[in-house]
Amino acid sequence: MSHNSFGKNLIFTSFGESHGSVIGCVLDGFPPGMMITVDEIKKELIRRATGKSRHTSQRKEKDDVQIVSGVFEGKTTGHPIALLIENTDARSKDYSNIAEQFRPGHADYSYWHKYGIRDYRGGGRSSARETTVRVAAGALAKKWLKSHCGLEVSAWLSQLGSIELNRGDVHLRDSNPFFTGEVSRTKELELYMDQLRKSGDSVGARINAEAINVPKGLGEPVYGKLDAELALAMMSINASKGVEIGAGFESVSQAGSEHRDEIVGGEFLSNHAGGILAGVSTGQPITLSVAFKPTSSLRIPCRSENIHGQAVEVITTGRHDPCVGIRAVPIVEAMMALVLMDHVLRHRAQNN
Amino acid sequence: MSHNSFGKNLIFTSFGESHGSVIGCVLDGFPPGMMITVDEIKKELIRRATGKSRHTSQRKEKDDVQIVSGVFEGKTTGHPIALLIENTDARSKDYSNIAEQFRPGHADYSYWHKYGIRDYRGGGRSSARETTVRVAAGALAKKWLKSHCGLEVSAWLSQLGSIELNRGDVHLRDSNPFFTGEVSRTKELELYMDQLRKSGDSVGARINAEAINVPKGLGEPVYGKLDAELALAMMSINASKGVEIGAGFESVSQAGSEHRDEIVGGEFLSNHAGGILAGVSTGQPITLSVAFKPTSSLRIPCRSENIHGQAVEVITTGRHDPCVGIRAVPIVEAMMALVLMDHVLRHRAQNN
Amino acid sequence: MSHNSFGKNLIFTSFGESHGSVIGCVLDGFPPGMMITVDEIKKELIRRATGKSRHTSQRKEKDDVQIVSGVFEGKTTGHPIALLIENTDARSKDYSNIAEQFRPGHADYSYWHKYGIRDYRGGGRSSARETTVRVAAGALAKKWLKSHCGLEVSAWLSQLGSIELNRGDVHLRDSNPFFTGEVSRTKELELYMDQLRKSGDSVGARINAEAINVPKGLGEPVYGKLDAELALAMMSINASKGVEIGAGFESVSQAGSEHRDEIVGGEFLSNHAGGILAGVSTGQPITLSVAFKPTSSLRIPCRSENIHGQAVEVITTGRHDPCVGIRAVPIVEAMMALVLMDHVLRHRAQNN
Amino acid sequence: MSHNSFGKNLIFTSFGESHGSVIGCVLDGFPPGMMITVDEIKKELIRRATGKSRHTSQRKEKDDVQIVSGVFEGKTTGHPIALLIENTDARSKDYSNIAEQFRPGHADYSYWHKYGIRDYRGGGRSSARETTVRVAAGALAKKWLKSHCGLEVSAWLSQLGSIELNRGDVHLRDSNPFFTGEVSRTKELELYMDQLRKSGDSVGARINAEAINVPKGLGEPVYGKLDAELALAMMSINASKGVEIGAGFESVSQAGSEHRDEIVGGEFLSNHAGGILAGVSTGQPITLSVAFKPTSSLRIPCRSENIHGQAVEVITTGRHDPCVGIRAVPIVEAMMALVLMDHVLRHRAQNN
């Protein structure tokens, strides 16, 4: 949780810019002895890949991941696992016109004022391309959690702009380009997106996520609470503006007698807590929800300034998602898996 | 962000249980040379103090804080500042009946399954009493930020149960027991709380907060983002269930052309970003919102189990807030100040 | 390993100055369920206590330790364990004459130039008094290690000035004021110290230490190596100037055929490695040696300057050890135990 | 200081094994705006390169470093700097015979017992090849320190087996394969090494190092002391067995009146402290000394066991240094530079 790393016993570090030669990550502290193949990682990368449909970014990313360390004869060794993805589709020239502009809603303004220098090509370090390696590392965490305790993480689109979606059958979320379990509404979503694309505008998205078969006792009170670290992980995803655990903001207007989850016959009758009490998992499913703002890069012009303080009009003509949030589904899953796995390790350090 | 500490260059650690002899904290990495008195700290503690009105907890807490290290001849020395608050009102007997019960909505169940042992007196480590030292340490951070760059943090009640409140005049928020800037609505809130108290039930609250005069450039991309660390800090506060930055969940249904904050004449025309772009502050006010769940301890009975797996009926008869969220106002301010000050130090480490 | 904390899964933080009202520490991440009493901690504090003989400091320290959190009904709870020692013998007036002087060999000069402010009373934060709480926390770590895997830590005086001492019978090291296992040489050491005291001068000391019944596999390659973290811990003790693991500096002139420890019949034939290979424990005893410089405060005058850059003559007349290193024995043991216990927890996080 | 990372505000992480496809590192928190070229890094790598003479390893390493992130248009951007070195000389077959053997003095035994799996090719993660990226990252730290405050780091061979060497002219240390400033003794060293090579045996080495133009005030009392973190850094280098600061172990037999460094006319008269008092730099040169054990891999057979507990005779026939310590000179410099730069950043965070 510093610069480009997070985690305590499972430490994830990423590096690389949108148009650099390589995007990569290091996953340190991973237990030895787990089988892992490049194909297992690619399976998750394909879920995230842009260009899978006309509803997400038009950019082709090959995402050929290499495991360059920490795996020997197909098994993790306990040493740092480095994953590299070479950039085969860097078209720097597309971005030269924005070298000195501050695009509203982007890192341009804040990075410039922080560092006094900025890799403006494709957003540089702030590009969503960085999330590729989160998803890659998440593939390992997911596999480990599944085999360690049956824990599974799922995320799905729960709102697209003003369209709210039910949970539906989350197992079907990969069957459509919207990651929705309400498969019957795919047509509706497609029409909505087509309209958006025509208008040159964009909308936000809400992603819900759930982890099942979570061991009881994960989370370190008081400042390493499981919900707090999940919130940090979710808010570290590009474009996220809000996080809820369990009932979230609805709990503000709930009565206490309604919110608290009663236990009868060894079972909780409800899960407003979202599987976490006082920062520690209860064994119930962990549920959370993340808000993503609308894509900032639009064909519709807007007013801004450049690094010299001069007024400019910003129009984006390149390849972009009309709703960047949809693609966040596998990223939310990956971040959730990484945080949960870190906490399994942390928990057994103290409470074996 | 591990167990009982948070922060990187300004590191806060707390210890102590509700009914232990002492609650305390250590604030490490604080710059030397700042004047600080016990009275300045007490001023903040009084804001938080329970028992200030009939609308919050009936428990009398004296909160006599001592500065036992890190301050010499009235000035910070650069060494760890330890603040201790002795417990003068510990009535352990009140809690003996719940020693083996899991009170719904409390730490009881999750702590027991994590540690196999539990200090059941007043919630032990999970008690809101721990937040006293956050507020104490926050007093130092607030003073430093004010003198360093004029930065000021304010929080206020923006929703009480179903009653939504406007920002009003935040300077008046300390004039009433609800921390509302809409002073004219105090009567309405009193009636609402009286009804709640009679019914034996409780509600949640939403607290909004704002920091002004924030230097540009605070925040460490990609995993030490300012909004991500604020989210962690807010979610570490007892009973919090959600966090928003800027437009938060509203940004889901916003159009991109609406959400993005245009710049004209060197000024942002709006602040949907909440003062943070790509995890780094822009100089605009930082705005956030936190959801607090309703108080879990109620006179209304509910079903649960005990540590032996036997069904029990839980009724709380002790002293409790009908809305625990109200009291969170100074805690939100303190946590926000501590995170922001840490980031000022972190920023100047890298980008002097 | 930042400011006033060290450790990763077992995190120790200390606070307090020589003449402040309280010296204390927080031990976080400690496993729940271990019985611990104040008397068990005091037993270690008495070993360290100054004033136990005329050969160490004349200052009376009562060292009445309180456990104020993290222990409930005699057992650790998994929450932060705070230990406080009130200062009952602070005589500030003794030190007023040195308020502006830089005493050679002390923190005075470097602290002043770092912070621009200095608590000059008794060395403030740099006082060896801070080590009291290391010893207190070490008592818990020692007990846990003993019960967890039979691991035991012992340190002893191996050199006093020019007098080299053999290991002797380490079980007898507490029977004499020099912590030597060569009990028969106590008289010789007493005479040496008496001469020193008369001359107003001081000498250094070498302390050797050993841990037995160490589990195989402790240590995190490459930057959390067990020997590296032990070195850090030892060099964090006041007045230490060098650390060796195993054969240490002797290994420079050893032949490779001599140094490497052969294995025959499942047993290592020697232990030049000091129980650690490539940063990871082998199960052999861990052996190390620490150099402590001579006490800097002497009756013999010396030349220095004050905070205004003016030449001053420094003479120390207060209560001081002629060899500060002797007292380091229980501190070395405590630091070794804390580091080893942290690594047991870290190891089981990754390699359960 | 955890697994494969060290540093607080300047964080270094490495990954990769001896015979993996890539060795790499990530340097995070580096200030923006510094010019850096691949050639400047290579200059340091060449100093470390094995194969530069017959007195060090016969292995040819090309060490073609790539900067894949964190540098834009020749300047650091403030984002993580990843350096990759592809392995072009991996001959895995050389090592197949030792797949199940525990070579004495190597990581084989301890890694196996820690992880239950081991990349036996060339020592895997424990290979000195990992130090390549330390030297690469050190090149950036050296350049920054030089331009920031004129700070320069130098290391040299001070002892080769039983041959002690004076400091000589450290500027000439790169003119000979032994990194000695006593250039006139090169012949003597060559003869000594030739004899060693014939005998099939090896010796250890002592490396001394010095930093000049060190700002006053670096170091974080009490557990982030500058000398303590330097000790950790030195002990993290392969084969190191001891570290001294300033007078080191000699201070044990020094009189206090001799050891303490007097100040006259604003100047210290001596530097037994090694430039650090109470963990904080004084502005004097920082001096330290590191012991390296003799190379463990020898043609002389020795007794050990394999992973099945069976006795084996180990003979090493591959390419190896008769004194691995010589090559440590640029590594010691790199580690010293990385630690010092981290502390410059840490110091200005707190004490701008």
Side-chain angles (χ1 to χ4, degrees), chain A residues 1-3 8 110 114 130 134 201-202 217 219 223 225 229 241 245 256-257 260 262 273 277 300 303, chain B residues 1-3 8 110 114 130 134 201-202 217 219 223 229 236 241 256-257 260 262 273 277 300 303:
Chain A
M1 309 185 179
S2 172
H3 293 289
K8 180 178 162 184
S110 56
K114 183 176 186 68
E130 183 272 338
R134 307 191 194 199
D201 214 334
S202 63
Y223 300 108
K225 283 178 176 169
E229 299 215 345
K241 298 303 289 180
I245 302 291
S257 54
R260 59 184 180 178
E262 292 185 284
L277 281 174
I300 302 169
R303 293 163 291 175
Chain B
M1 308 186 180
S2 172
H3 293 290
K8 180 177 162 186
S110 55
K114 182 175 187 67
E130 183 271 338
R134 307 191 195 200
D201 215 333
S202 63
Y223 300 108
E229 299 213 346
S236 79
K241 298 303 290 181
S257 54
R260 60 183 179 178
E262 292 185 282
L277 281 174
I300 303 168
R303 294 163 291 174

Side-chain angles (χ1 to χ4, degrees), chain C residues 1-3 8 110 114 130 134 201-202 217 219 223 229 241 245 256-257 260 262 273 277 300 303, chain D residues 1-3 8 110 114 130 134 201-202 217 219 223 225 229 241 245 256-257 260 262 273 277 300 303:
Chain C
M1 309 186 179
S2 172
H3 292 289
K8 180 177 163 184
S110 56
K114 183 176 186 67
E130 183 272 339
R134 307 192 194 199
D201 215 333
S202 63
Y223 301 109
E229 298 215 345
K241 298 302 289 180
I245 303 290
S257 55
R260 60 184 180 178
E262 292 185 283
L277 282 174
I300 302 169
R303 292 163 292 173
Chain D
M1 309 187 177
S2 172
H3 294 289
K8 181 177 162 185
S110 56
K114 182 175 187 68
E130 182 272 338
R134 307 191 194 200
D201 214 334
S202 63
Y223 300 107
K225 283 178 176 169
E229 299 214 345
K241 298 303 289 181
I245 303 291
S257 54
R260 61 183 179 177
E262 293 185 282
L277 282 173
I300 303 168
R303 294 163 291 175

Side-chain angles (χ1 to χ4, degrees), chain B residues 318-334:
Chain B
R319 43 196 180 176
H320 292 283
D321 295 334
C323 177
V324 77
I326 298 170
R327 265 206 308 175
V329 164
I331 306 166
V332 166
E333 290 182 11

